[in-house]
Amino acid sequence: MEERKIETIYKVYGYDELTAEDRELVDAAKQMTQTSFAPYSKFHVGAAIRMDNGNIVLGSNQENAAFPSSLCAERTACFQASALYPGMPMRKIAIAAWTRLHQPEETPHELCFQKKPISPCGSCRQALLEYEAAYGPIEVLLYGREGIAVLPSIASLLPLCFTTF
Ligand code: THU
């Protein structure tokens, strides 16, 4: 028997420590939360993907009364990115979320953003992984008011991942 260890190392930056380009990506993800269609969860998620050509492709969560027909912000963004720019590497994805649930009504909007970052769900990790495996690493920037977690790749969020058959 052999024991193997899986470790995930990530960095946490203050907003001001990010490069101007990364601040722009995070701001775009935050801005996109405004386009979320979330009448059921009232949890508004935005995603912004930096393409290899420097362009930003955006997404937000879109819910449906038939719940499983909904789509997360990350998949909305990466499917849109691949549809607009087939074959182009996706260099980075930024994700942000806010909700007014459990907040006093007068809470300023900025303070409704998650204190700690949210991280993509398993299905979004799997979908993003496919593009990463095909076109190279996608850095992940997870916005939280207390700091932005930065991971080097989607695979670092999905150990022992399934990519080929
Ligand atoms: N959601 C996302 O869009 N991305 C995530 O990373 C987590 C969850 C959405 C799905 C649903 O519309 C709402 O947030 C609550 O789960």
Side-chain angles (χ1 to χ4, degrees):
M1 195 276 276
E2 185 190 337
E3 203 173 54
R4 295 182 183 181
K5 187 173 162 188
I6 296 170
E7 250 181 346
T8 306
I9 295 175
Y10 67 97
K11 297 178 177 161
V12 181
Y13 289 90
Y15 179 79
D16 294 335
E17 292 178 298
L18 296 177
T19 63
E21 275 213 330
D22 285 355
R23 282 200 299 271
E24 183 193 27
L25 199 65
V26 165
D27 290 346
K30 290 177 73 180
Q31 186 64 37
M32 272 312 277
T33 60
Q34 300 301 337
T35 71
S36 151
F37 181 69
Y40 305 104
S41 72
K42 308 216 183 301
F43 190 70
H44 303 270
V45 187
I49 295 177
R50 176 79 68 188
M51 303 303 296
D52 201 38
N53 67 359
N55 285 2
I56 294 176
V57 178
L58 303 163
S60 58
N61 57 326
Q62 302 296 320
E63 297 184 349
N64 192 279
F67 289 178
S69 303
S70 307
L71 200 63
C72 295
E74 296 90 328
R75 268 175 293 162
T76 305
C78 72
F79 292 161
Q80 167 78 340
S82 184
L84 283 175
Y85 301 108
M88 186 183 290
M90 302 178 197
R91 291 296 176 217
K92 298 185 187 212
I93 182 168
I95 301 155
W98 63 270
T99 183
R100 283 206 168 268
L101 294 178
H102 325 299
Q103 303 275 9
E105 220 169 85
E106 64 280 8
T107 308
H109 179 251
E110 184 59 33
L111 297 183
C112 294
F113 278 95
Q114 299 293 107
K115 222 186 235 182
K116 302 227 178 299
I118 65 149
S119 197
C121 78
S123 294
C124 288
R125 292 177 195 206
Q126 186 67 35
L128 285 159
L129 183 72
E130 190 84 13
Y131 300 116
E132 174 167 293
Y135 309 125
I138 305 173
E139 196 177 78
V140 183
L141 288 84
L142 306 173
Y143 175 77
R145 284 191 286 116
E146 285 181 342
I148 294 114
V150 178
L151 292 108
S153 63
I154 301 297
S156 67
L157 281 170
L158 198 57
L160 302 179
C161 45
F162 174 71
T163 52
T164 54
F165 57 90

